[in-house]
Amino acid sequence: MKVALVGFGTVGRSVYKMLQQAEGITPGLVLVLPEFYSAPFQTTDYNDILNDPETEAVVECITDAEEGYKYAKAALLAGKHFVSSSKAMVALHAPELNRLAREKGVAFLFGAACGGSMPILHALSQSRQMDKILSVSGVLNGTTNYMLDAMQRKGCSYEDALKVAQQLGYAEKDPTADVSGRDSLRKIMLACAVSYGILPVEGLNREGIESLTAEDVNHFAPKGLVCRLIAQGGKNEDGSVYACVEPVLFPKNAPECAVLDNNNLAKSQCLYNGSLVLMGQGAGGDPTASNVMRDLILIKNGLKNFLPESCEEGKANNEGGRHRYYVRLNAQDIDLFPAAETEMDGDICRIITSPMAVSRAHDAAKAIRSAGRKVFFAALAE
Ligand code: HSE
């Protein structure tokens, strides 16, 4: 199978390297921007790829979601399989591209868009077809895990930890997507789409790590707690889907605390299979490229989609999930959370709440911030 490539950055270069030594797959043309062009295997014209009858599949590894979408649509319309590692693009357009691929009888896979090297979407797609997926959760962003680990284990500052994560090639071009939890949210949206055939685009809750300070770490670490940024999705009892991203504090012997550096962890809970945990590198060129290659091998062997035929956009319902939260806030905002335990430090309060709905905790933090004040909150793992 001849495979063309769109994008020649961190992931694209690794895919190209792996294409040269894969079994039964050969590299085709690589689409690059004019300033990076060099003959003979590169092109600056996508039509060279679309019009090459020998090219059966296109791999896209670029950042710009709308550009990526155009490449995806054109490739599928031309009857070529399409593999993407772009979370942003797939989280925006998955149902439409799934329909188009099915109409054209070609494959649309995006394993590397969730979990870097881990075949979590592959596993969820299989589980959906023979089990009942109750929930999916985990550490789905390598940059923030690298930063949290460096801040908590090595005492690094937030800024230094981010700088190193960028140098190591883990962070997005604009790292706001990482630290704000947006990248993790896109990944859990995709996990929900694969697990339930619903891509939740509304009613989502997202909190990143931007509000975490060294003082917070110094306060909760002596209590044996470790912070991880956790994405969670699942089915409520009424059949609706929930999906959110938020910091969670775990007791230090929890499996999530063993996820160090840029590693990711994905956990699925199924009715028959029970609990399944995958752990591996969540970012970086070679690990991500290996999941792109996994998709290509599966296409070569006949797999065409992760998503069910009926996959549609939908609304998340985060009112059902309830957690106790650790919250640091100004004394004047304390009434916004149901405090069960309170520690005062001047004007700063640190509270443990009684169980409260995820959506309510996120709304309370939003209200505090829109009044120009600060808050950090993290769910307490039960
Ligand atoms: N910026 C992403 C991360 C890259 O840090 O996880 C892999 O999706």
Side-chain angles (χ1 to χ4, degrees):
M1 183 165 77
K2 186 171 165 187
V3 179
L5 191 53
V6 176
F8 207 50
T10 309
V11 178
R13 277 170 209 275
S14 290
V15 171
Y16 194 78
K17 179 178 69 184
M18 292 185 75
L19 279 172
Q20 284 167 315
Q21 44 104 66
E23 208 177 284
I25 302 182
T26 51
L29 284 172
V30 182
L31 182 74
V32 292
L33 295 169
E35 56 269 37
F36 300 116
Y37 177 79
S38 79
F41 65 92
Q42 295 186 339
T43 177
T44 56
D45 184 354
Y46 195 42
N47 288 317
D48 290 345
I49 290 173
L50 296 179
N51 296 333
D52 174 18
E54 284 177 12
T55 296
E56 289 178 64
V58 177
V59 168
E60 173 256 335
C61 310
I62 62 171
T63 311
D64 187 312
E66 286 319 306
E67 282 291 301
Y69 168 64
K70 283 188 217 152
Y71 292 128
K73 210 165 160 180
L76 295 173
L77 283 169
K80 301 191 189 294
H81 306 301
F82 194 79
V83 171
S84 176
S85 66
S86 165
K87 300 95 23 145
M89 189 281 277
V90 183
L92 280 169
H93 301 289
E96 182 196 339
L97 296 176
N98 180 48
R99 274 192 298 275
L100 183 56
R102 285 170 178 273
E103 264 166 46
K104 292 286 174 184
V106 290
F108 169 50
L109 298 185
F110 44 88
C114 179
S117 68
M118 299 185 303
I120 180 64
L121 295 185
H122 308 80
L124 292 173
S125 170
Q126 289 169 355
S127 294
R128 185 196 69 242
Q129 296 172 71
M130 47 78 172
D131 203 332
K132 188 171 171 202
I133 303 169
L134 305 172
S135 64
V136 192
S137 64
V139 172
L140 295 182
N141 182 270
T143 302
T144 45
N145 202 67
Y146 182 87
M147 292 173 65
L148 288 173
D149 188 33
M151 286 171 75
Q152 295 174 96
R153 210 158 44 98
K154 302 175 194 156
C156 281
S157 70
Y158 180 97
E159 292 72 25
D160 287 349
L162 176 58
K163 214 177 285 164
V164 180
Q166 285 177 299
Q167 282 160 2
L168 291 171
Y170 305 151
E172 299 299 303
K173 216 180 229 174
D174 174 3
T176 317
D178 297 295
V179 295
S180 68
R182 192 174 291 284
D183 181 76
S184 299
L185 189 68
R186 287 172 177 148
K187 290 168 179 166
I188 201 70
M189 288 163 69
L190 295 182
C192 286
V194 172
S195 303
Y196 307 118
I198 298 169
L199 177 74
V201 294
E202 281 177 65
L204 301 157
N205 291 114
R206 169 177 58 87
E207 173 74 9
I209 64 165
E210 295 148 302
S211 299
L212 177 69
T213 62
E215 291 74 43
D216 295 325
V217 173
N218 290 339
H219 187 262
F220 60 67
K223 300 179 193 301
L225 296 170
V226 175
C227 183
R228 291 288 179 258
L229 186 64
I230 299 293
Q232 303 174 56
K235 268 253 164 110
N236 293 307
E237 275 170 18
D238 65 3
S240 59
V241 164
Y242 64 87
C244 73
V245 173
E246 58 189 10
V248 176
L249 298 183
F250 292 92
K252 61 177 182 255
N253 58 354
E256 284 78 359
C257 306
V259 185
L260 306 179
D261 298 324
N262 71 326
N263 281 293
N264 279 18
L265 174 144
K267 189 152 84 178
S268 66
Q269 189 68 40
C270 293
L271 184 63
Y272 299 108
N273 193 67
S275 174
L276 176 76
V277 178
L278 293 174
M279 191 163 135
Q281 283 191 58
D286 288 356
T288 309
S290 67
N291 230 356
V292 168
M293 294 304 296
R294 194 188 308 274
D295 287 356
L296 291 171
I297 298 296
L298 289 168
I299 291 173
K300 189 167 73 80
N301 293 331
L303 184 78
K304 293 212 169 120
N305 23 63
F306 290 141
L307 297 169
E309 193 167 0
S310 59
C311 182
E312 289 291 351
E313 290 188 349
K315 193 171 172 183
N317 172 1
N318 289 344
E319 273 155 43
R322 294 171 77 78
H323 306 294
R324 291 186 309 139
Y325 282 88
Y326 170 101
V327 190
R328 180 253 304 148
L329 74 182
N330 286 354
Q332 69 193 105
D333 295 316
I334 197 162
D335 290 345
L336 287 164
F337 288 89
E341 294 168 37
T342 307
E343 267 183 56
M344 297 296 296
D345 180 8
D347 263 0
I348 302 293
C349 284
R350 294 183 189 270
I351 61 173
I352 304 290
T353 71
S354 51
M356 65 189 295
V358 170
S359 53
R360 194 177 150 208
H362 286 250
D363 287 350
K366 214 177 275 170
I368 293 173
R369 288 182 186 135
S370 58
R373 290 188 294 276
K374 291 184 176 167
V375 58
F376 166 73
F377 69 103
L380 287 173
E382 301 300 340

